Amino acid sequence: MQNNSPNSSSESIDPSSAVPIDALAGLPRRLLGLGLDWGIATLISWAFAHGNGMVTMAVWVVMQLTLVSTLGMGFGHLVFGMRVVNVANAGRPGVLQVLIRTVLLALFVPGLVWGKDGRPAHDRAAGTAVVLAGRTAQR
């Protein structure tokens, strides 16, 4: 008999999702990854623009857009064992998904709004999820 409880750890985020809830990376790990990426962007900003906040943000955005759309992870994701996936197929997210995710995350507020599916608003809007790198997708 199948368990249809929304709290079942083997159940996916939603019926069309290829990402199980227990594969999602938790908030502490995500914050560590974000902190590392922001720290790298800050160092680059200090090296070339005396720590200008707008330059730091621009460097962070460029890092996220290029790395996540090509590798499926930024430096912080890599170091802390995470990757960004498309929830529809658990594969690498598309460029448009990464753009939506990055712009919304740069606005900061969507990162504070988490849904019942365990994903923040910027990931839900982009159709992405941050998962533990060693976890495989299941349907």
Side-chain angles (χ1 to χ4, degrees):
M1 184 170 188
Q2 185 176 7
N3 182 357
N4 291 327
S5 167
N7 296 326
S8 172
S9 64
S10 64
E11 195 171 311
S12 294
I13 293 168
D14 64 50
S16 64
S17 176
V19 179
I21 291 173
D22 62 357
L24 295 175
L27 180 61
R29 186 182 298 237
R30 291 174 65 119
L31 288 175
L32 287 169
L34 178 62
L36 177 60
D37 286 343
W38 191 259
I40 292 168
T42 301
L43 289 174
I44 293 170
S45 172
W46 273 104
F48 296 102
H50 305 292
N52 180 295
M54 292 304 288
V55 173
T56 301
M57 178 62 80
V59 169
W60 180 84
V61 166
V62 169
M63 284 174 31
Q64 293 302 299
L65 289 174
T66 56
L67 295 172
V68 176
S69 64
T70 59
L71 303 175
M73 64 183 77
F75 293 118
H77 297 120
L78 176 66
V79 169
F80 292 103
M82 301 175 288
R83 62 190 171 97
V84 180
V85 297
N86 178 334
V87 294
N89 59 20
R92 191 174 309 140
V95 174
L96 182 58
Q97 287 179 299
V98 175
L99 178 64
I100 292 168
R101 180 182 190 280
T102 301
V103 168
L104 291 176
L105 187 54
L107 295 175
F108 189 66
V109 175
L112 298 176
V113 180
W114 288 66
K116 292 179 183 177
D117 62 358
R119 296 183 301 151
H122 61 277
D123 276 328
R124 289 193 322 270
T128 59
V130 177
V131 297
L132 300 171
R135 300 292 174 109
T136 59
Q138 303 169 2
R139 260 197 198 233

